[in-house]
Amino acid sequence: MSTEYYERLRVERPDLFVNQAGGIEILSDPEAVAEAGGVMYSDRYITLLRDPVRFPDGSTGSYIRSVSATPAPGCAVLPLLDGRVVLIEHFRHATRSWHWEVPRGFGTPGLSAEENAAKELEEEIGAQALEIVPLGELHPDSGTTADRVSLFAARVAGTGPLETGEAIRMCVTVPFEEAEAMVGDGRITDGFTIAVLLRARLAGLTA
């Protein structure tokens, strides 16, 4: 477990260590960090932190959370083709299952959120974005990760080659109401996809 990298993150990404009144306080004194804190794991996608903390009742301990390896937020984008929704069938290693999803990915440093969305569309379904509509942000799991994800809808003229190397085996276009029915009956369980469908409906993009 690296305390040196942990302290470097404090300097480089101070937003990850903000304390707020009444919340769980991250301790910064060297003894607390040495005893209970540090970077447990890191690769080019995620970093796993163990924070030394003080809870609201005054007790101390540690809390584990994951953060994106880059401060650039990830994105999830709902492709709209002739008023219909494009969904991909994607195999996910974590669940060992196939899932109906929208294109999404990690943030790329140096690209804007909109540019990241356009990149994911091109990479995953071979589509060029004609229009990109921001739909806000999402914290996918506020209990375990600090990550935030930018949500978008994008009008596309068509689809092209799929990113089969990432275990995407097919894409379909369905009416918006059918996509919502897939949420209702459990065919869609991916949280990003459910969230972006809801945001698109609230934004009036269902026609």
Side-chain angles (χ1 to χ4, degrees):
M1 189 156 58
S2 171
T3 57
E4 180 181 348
Y5 185 18
Y6 187 83
E7 294 298 345
R8 190 163 75 247
L9 279 177
R10 281 186 177 276
V11 175
E12 296 174 350
R13 300 176 65 180
D15 57 297
L16 295 176
F17 298 91
V18 172
N19 286 323
Q20 298 195 24
I24 297 171
E25 177 189 3
I26 297 177
L27 304 177
S28 59
D29 62 273
E31 287 188 8
V33 173
E35 180 179 349
V39 173
M40 302 178 67
Y41 173 80
S42 185
D43 61 24
R44 65 192 181 111
Y45 298 112
I46 66 167
T47 297
L48 190 62
L49 304 180
R50 183 179 181 186
D51 297 303
V53 299
R54 179 178 292 111
F55 295 97
D57 64 2
S59 62
T60 59
S62 63
Y63 222 132
I64 293 175
R65 58 181 171 143
S66 69
V67 303
S68 175
T70 170
C75 70
V77 53
L78 177 71
L80 300 174
L81 175 59
D82 297 329
R84 296 162 68 90
V85 171
V86 179
L87 297 172
I88 56 177
E89 193 175 27
H90 200 160
F91 185 83
R92 291 297 181 180
H93 171 72
T95 64
R96 307 304 299 160
S97 300
W98 292 95
H99 295 269
W100 288 109
E101 301 179 353
V102 298
R104 73 172 194 259
F106 289 94
T108 301
L111 296 184
S112 69
E114 288 80 4
E115 289 170 335
N116 268 318
K119 178 177 72 70
E120 290 302 325
L121 285 173
E122 185 173 358
E123 288 178 352
E124 295 200 355
I125 62 171
Q128 299 294 319
L130 304 176
E131 178 189 11
I132 294 180
V133 182
L135 295 175
E137 290 189 335
L138 169 74
H139 288 95
D141 185 351
S142 59
T144 62
T145 178
D147 292 352
R148 58 191 174 93
V149 174
S150 298
L151 303 179
F152 297 95
R155 302 189 193 281
V156 299
T159 62
L162 303 180
E163 192 176 25
T164 55
E166 291 294 324
I168 298 172
R169 69 179 176 185
M170 67 182 298
C171 74
V172 297
T173 59
V174 299
F176 198 96
E177 293 76 11
E178 174 64 16
E180 290 183 316
M182 293 171 72
V183 174
D185 65 22
R187 282 175 288 166
I188 293 177
T189 59
D190 174 62
F192 296 95
T193 303
I194 294 170
V196 78
L197 284 168
L198 173 60
R199 290 284 184 87
R201 173 162 289 283
L202 294 174
L205 300 178
T206 60

